[in-house]
Amino acid sequence: MRLLATKSFSCNDELYKVVDLLNKTLKEYNLMFGLSKNTDGQTMTLSIYEV
């Protein structure tokens, strides 16, 4: 997998739903999305990968 981009956002429970939608919708384009909570507990990072 190749990391294409990352972006940090304020914590929001709805971001998981967005990532799930992106993974289901863009799977055929060999893209994968990940979401992780940062150690500060206040932000989350969205990562985009090419599979």
Side-chain angles (χ1 to χ4, degrees):
M1 291 189 319
R2 183 172 67 122
L3 180 63
L4 299 176
T6 61
K7 178 69 178 174
S8 292
F9 301 91
S10 297
C11 279
N12 184 326
D13 293 336
E14 299 295 311
L15 284 175
Y16 288 102
K17 294 178 183 179
V18 173
V19 170
D20 186 51
L21 173 68
L22 290 170
N23 279 324
K24 289 177 181 176
T25 305
L26 299 174
K27 184 177 184 178
E28 65 187 60
Y29 295 99
N30 296 324
L31 295 173
M32 188 171 86
F33 299 83
L35 186 64
S36 61
K37 187 176 274 191
N38 296 337
T39 56
D40 64 10
Q42 301 298 315
T43 58
M44 302 177 96
T45 298
L46 173 68
S47 302
I48 305 171
Y49 300 93
E50 181 180 50
V51 182

